[in-house]
Amino acid sequence: MAASLAAAQTGPAPFAGRLDQARTTLQVDESGLHGPGAAVIAAAVEQARYVLLGEDHLSREIPRFTVGMCRIMAPGGLRALAVETGPEAAVVVNSNLRRPDRATRIAAFAQKYPDAMAFLNGRDESDMASECARLAGPGFEIWGLDQEFFGSAGYLLEQMLAAHPGPNARAAIERLVALDRSMSAAAVASGSPGDLFIYKVTDRQIAEASGLIARDGGVRGKALFAALVETRSIYLGQNTDGYASNGQRARLMKRNLVGHLTASPSPARVLFKFGDVHMAKGINGLGQRDLGNFAAERAEGDGASSVHIAVYGAKGVHALYGGVGRQVRHEPFVLTDDADYAWLKDALATRPGEGQGWVLIDLRALRTKPAQDMPAPWRKVAQRYDLLVIAPDLTPSSLLGAK
């Protein structure tokens, strides 16, 4: 009996106490990150090659936090910000990143090619990318690792024509351009992505074009057509086999990352900003070994390290997809009202003297000799992420060039 009591007294501390010890506060403003939480973050990322932010999309506050991360990382070298948009969309962003009329040009692109760019046509996302470029210097760029967005067909096809394909390919591409124009007009009128080329073009039409483009489409044209075909496959797959589609998407993002890393003249230090499901280590909520796990393994295989930070808002207003070419719609939320995040309720309760600032929880401290009464959701998040950051409120961003 005495031995059992001694073992209990020397065992892991109960989870509630461990959580309080791992919890600290953070302030985020235009000049950066401040407070004790900022020191924890700075120490964590100081030697990391890859820093991965798993976020809640299209707020004003998380881009501000991301700029704070760029401010911390830039003095030690920051090669790129890798984001959840397509490679061709990222080319457009990079070509305008340092221009004084950047926002106007991105808005014009979005108006000409509705829904051809994911997230980086957000006003706060665009400002964030520009400020990170200023902080990191001339070698910095945006890396788009995802498939292209579902309205991208018209832009990709026009880029194929601009690459001077041969007569067979040109005729096939021009037929697809005409289809896209008709379908895009219908999608803008209805607001439904289901009316876009990606969803409406038939397998037969794609196959006929593929044979002709293979003849004389040229290297650039063939690569763009392959990107269009894979983008279509991923989106269509979400309606038939989500698991396979998510796996295909994860493999694409990994290949795109490897391409950038291989092309970099020296080991690239990269900040990632994707939805939280993509940045997790291990098996994520989609049942995939996604980009976050790949980056962690890649870093370790190279003798380096990665830091994975989940960033949420406790409550506020979400900016949600509003339709093809249309402005976001707004939806109030409380994070812990969502069953997937209800386990955070105790962690978000304000402690005496804390105020209403941001909260940081060092998950690394919770997974070392975990408390026996540690709830399963906390065990899971501590395995997937290193730090958990929660803003008191999120307010919605807006889209450039949207109706």
Side-chain angles (χ1 to χ4, degrees), residues 89-113:
V91 171
V92 175
V93 173
N94 282 317
S95 68
N96 293 291
L97 196 55
R98 295 170 174 84
R99 294 180 62 105
D101 59 347
R102 161 187 49 82
T104 300
R105 292 171 66 88
I106 294 295
F109 176 87
Q111 289 168 351
K112 185 175 182 180
Y113 305 104

Side-chain angles (χ1 to χ4, degrees), residues 300-320:
E300 289 187 357
D302 288 342
S305 64
S306 62
V307 174
H308 302 246
I309 307 173
V311 191
Y312 306 126
K315 58 183 174 62
V317 178
H318 276 144
L320 302 178

Side-chain angles (χ1 to χ4, degrees), residues 12-373:
F15 178 70
R18 295 280 294 277
L19 179 60
D20 275 344
Q21 292 173 1
R23 187 180 186 279
T24 189
T25 57
L26 173 71
Q27 288 79 48
V28 180
D29 60 28
E30 299 294 342
S31 64
L33 312 184
H34 314 282
V40 173
I41 291 172
V45 306
E46 183 179 10
Q47 301 299 324
R49 181 171 295 175
Y50 307 137
V51 177
L52 298 94
L53 306 182
E55 66 154 356
D56 193 346
H57 290 308
L58 284 176
S59 73
R60 299 177 63 208
E61 288 73 20
I62 295 177
R64 190 176 303 148
F65 175 84
T66 305
V67 171
M69 295 300 301
C70 289
R71 195 177 297 277
I72 290 172
M73 295 179 69
L78 179 58
R79 175 71 179 85
L81 174 64
V83 293
E84 196 172 337
T85 199
E88 295 302 320
V91 171
V92 175
V93 173
N94 282 317
S95 68
N96 293 291
L97 196 55
R98 295 170 174 84
R99 294 180 62 105
D101 59 347
R102 161 187 49 82
T104 300
R105 292 171 66 88
I106 294 295
F109 176 87
Q111 289 168 351
K112 185 175 182 180
Y113 305 104
D115 288 11
M117 181 182 293
F119 302 120
L120 266 295
N121 61 325
R123 184 175 301 277
D124 292 275
E125 304 292 327
S126 184
D127 290 347
M128 169 200 74
S130 177
E131 181 62 8
C132 284
R134 186 189 70 80
L135 291 165
F140 172 90
E141 60 185 359
I142 301 297
W143 289 355
L145 305 184
D146 210 350
Q147 82 272 9
E148 303 298 334
F149 204 30
F150 45 51
S152 62
Y155 177 70
L156 296 177
L157 292 166
E158 288 188 15
Q159 291 301 298
M160 291 171 67
L161 291 175
H164 307 294
N168 294 290
R170 175 170 289 277
I173 296 165
E174 287 175 344
R175 285 193 290 271
L176 294 181
V177 167
L179 281 174
D180 172 74
R181 286 176 179 164
S182 173
M183 293 169 180
S184 291
V188 169
S190 70
S192 172
D195 289 329
L196 288 166
F197 177 98
I198 287 291
Y199 295 104
K200 297 291 283 186
V201 70
T202 67
D203 291 344
R204 181 176 178 177
Q205 288 167 326
I206 289 292
E208 289 174 349
S210 180
L212 294 170
I213 291 167
R215 291 188 194 177
D216 57 3
V219 173
R220 171 72 171 154
K222 291 176 184 177
L224 287 165
F225 188 68
L228 176 60
V229 168
E230 184 151 27
T231 292
R232 177 175 180 264
S233 176
I234 289 170
Y235 280 115
L236 292 181
Q238 287 294 309
N239 297 327
T240 57
D241 187 344
Y243 177 80
S245 174
N246 289 326
Q248 181 182 5
R249 184 183 178 193
R251 292 188 293 275
L252 172 64
M253 291 193 288
K254 294 171 190 178
R255 294 198 307 271
N256 285 335
L257 175 60
V258 169
H260 279 295
L261 294 176
T262 302
S264 293
S266 59
R269 195 162 188 237
V270 184
L271 176 62
F272 296 72
K273 182 176 180 289
F274 285 70
D276 65 337
V277 72
H278 302 296
M279 297 288 92
K281 292 177 281 187
I283 304 296
N284 69 7
L286 300 174
Q288 306 293 332
R289 291 177 292 112
D290 215 310
L291 184 62
N293 185 71
F294 182 77
E297 296 283 3
R298 173 82 184 217
E300 289 187 357
D302 288 342
S305 64
S306 62
V307 174
H308 302 246
I309 307 173
V311 191
Y312 306 126
K315 58 183 174 62
V317 178
H318 276 144
L320 302 178
Y321 183 73
V324 177
R326 301 184 183 185
Q327 194 51 261
V328 296
R329 59 187 176 87
H330 293 173
E331 184 176 284
F333 77 97
V334 175
L335 182 64
T336 53
D337 285 350
D338 185 330
D340 289 339
Y341 299 97
W343 50 274
L344 273 166
K345 188 164 291 187
D346 290 341
L348 295 181
T350 303
R351 273 54 169 176
E354 256 188 8
Q356 297 297 316
W358 293 51
V359 171
L360 180 142
I361 298 170
D362 191 339
L363 298 170
R364 300 168 298 177
L366 300 181
R367 64 174 179 246
T368 303
K369 295 182 179 180
Q372 293 177 358
D373 64 337

